[in-house]
């Protein structure tokens, strides 16, 4: 599992693969998907690009909301899964429900809701 780590300067970066026993508290984002070419990918973040893509806004939102909630780590499926690695992709598909369940906070970002820039909800995950 790769997480995004919020840095002191407001930027974020991918963590290395985290083993379940050492997973820190994190927030997770549920969101509407945009066009594939506008979603920020794992590769984009590894290469330091993607800020100009539409999908960057929801990642930035998640990091800012996590910081407001006292969390340093967050997870967004579009960019935290290395889809070029079949083993990692398979593990992510099989583990995603657990990752949502174990998240400290779950945010919803609905960019396609008419009349708002984005509809945001936060939910505390129950203790596991």
């Amino acid at each position: 599992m790769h997480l995004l780590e919020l840095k002191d300067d407001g930027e974020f970066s991918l963590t290395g693969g985290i083993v379940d026993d050492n997973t820190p508290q994190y927030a997770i984002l549920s969101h509407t998907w945009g066009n594939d070419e506008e979603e920020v990918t794992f590769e984009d973040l590894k290469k330091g690009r993607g800020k100009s893509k539409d999908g960057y806004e929801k990642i930035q939102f998640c990091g800012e909301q996590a910081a407001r909630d006292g969390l340093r780590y967050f997870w967004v499926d579009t960019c935290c899964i290395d889809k070029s690695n079949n083993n990692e992709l398979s593990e992510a598909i099989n583990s995603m429900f657990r990752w949502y369940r174990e998240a400290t906070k779950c945010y919803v970002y609905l960019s396609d809701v008419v009349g708002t820039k984005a509809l945001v909800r936060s939910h505390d995950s129950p203790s596991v």
Side-chain angles (χ1 to χ4, degrees):
M1 173 183 210
H2 297 278
L3 293 172
L4 293 166
E5 180 179 7
L6 192 62
K7 304 295 184 181
D8 292 336
D9 62 3
E11 295 291 317
F12 51 84
S13 62
L14 281 165
T15 64
I18 294 178
V19 180
D20 290 338
D21 294 342
N22 297 323
T23 304
Q25 289 190 330
Y26 62 93
I28 201 164
L29 183 67
S30 181
H31 61 95
T32 52
W33 280 67
N35 295 328
D36 283 346
E37 61 275 356
E38 288 300 320
E39 292 293 348
V40 179
T41 66
F42 183 86
E43 184 178 338
D44 287 334
L45 292 182
K46 290 297 266 187
K47 293 184 175 181
R49 60 183 192 217
K51 288 185 177 185
S52 63
K53 292 185 173 186
D54 291 344
Y56 190 82
E57 184 176 323
K58 62 186 157 195
I59 298 167
Q60 192 169 31
F61 152 76
C62 188
E64 290 169 356
Q65 186 61 49
R68 282 191 288 275
D69 289 334
L71 298 169
R72 189 168 136 198
Y73 297 95
F74 58 104
W75 188 86
V76 181
D77 59 356
T78 56
C79 61
C80 289
I81 301 170
D82 181 1
K83 295 173 190 79
S84 70
N85 179 325
N86 288 335
N87 289 338
E88 184 171 326
L89 180 59
S90 178
E91 179 190 351
I93 291 168
N94 292 326
S95 302
M96 203 168 293
F97 175 79
R98 180 172 45 87
W99 293 347
Y100 273 89
R101 184 185 66 217
E102 293 176 356
T104 303
K105 293 276 191 175
C106 181
Y107 309 125
V108 177
Y109 188 95
L110 303 175
S111 60
D112 60 345
V113 174
V114 178
T116 64
K117 185 173 181 184
L119 178 61
V120 178
R121 296 283 186 257
S122 173
H123 175 69
D124 291 322
S125 296
S127 299
V128 183

